[in-house]
Amino acid sequence: MYQPGPVTATPELIAAINADLADQRERGRAAGGGGGGGGGDGGGHDGEVAATVLGNILRGLPKEECYERWCKIATAHDPAWPFTGRDFERHYRSAARKAEQIRAEEQQVRAQWLGRLPGGIR
């Protein structure tokens, strides 16, 4: 039987957790009507599409790869109002700002936790 034990909080693990949390937050905002933005396809799924960009930035993907992945899911609910390159640029700018904020918060939390370890291990 598996016995849980301590998990080492590596920067990679923290980044992966933050990327997943960002995806989840954006899906929640899109489902609740808040934070989804006013542009895109007018079908309430702009936030979901934007969330993938944030998750990909947090995973460290370059802009070009973020765009390629965005293109695969940026299918408008209303074909009369399709996503465009301008939508990607809007999503990317917003996601880059959010990613910077998340990473700064991550560093603060990491510093707090490391300061609590015996001997101030860094």
Side-chain angles (χ1 to χ4, degrees), residues 37-55:
D41 68 345
H45 129 106
D46 186 67
E48 294 172 24
V49 175
T52 63
V53 178
L54 176 59

Side-chain angles (χ1 to χ4, degrees), residues 15-115:
I17 290 169
N18 282 332
D20 289 342
L21 288 172
D23 289 347
Q24 182 180 5
R25 273 193 302 273
E26 289 299 322
R27 282 192 305 274
R29 287 183 190 142
D41 68 345
H45 129 106
D46 186 67
E48 294 172 24
V49 175
T52 63
V53 178
L54 176 59
N56 289 330
I57 288 173
L58 289 171
R59 287 178 180 87
L61 299 180
K63 185 175 182 178
E64 297 77 22
E65 191 167 344
C66 290
Y67 179 70
E68 287 176 22
R69 291 177 179 222
W70 178 88
C71 285
K72 291 178 183 177
I73 58 133
T75 305
H77 287 178
D78 180 356
W81 196 353
F83 284 105
T84 67
R86 289 181 64 188
D87 291 307
F88 171 75
E89 290 299 329
R90 174 174 52 86
H91 292 158
Y92 191 84
R93 282 190 309 272
S94 176
R97 284 192 303 269
K98 289 178 185 178
E100 187 176 318
Q101 182 180 17
I102 289 169
R103 287 179 177 136
E105 291 169 1
E106 174 185 298
Q107 290 299 328
Q108 289 175 344
V109 169
R110 186 170 192 259
Q112 289 172 350
W113 278 102
L114 289 176

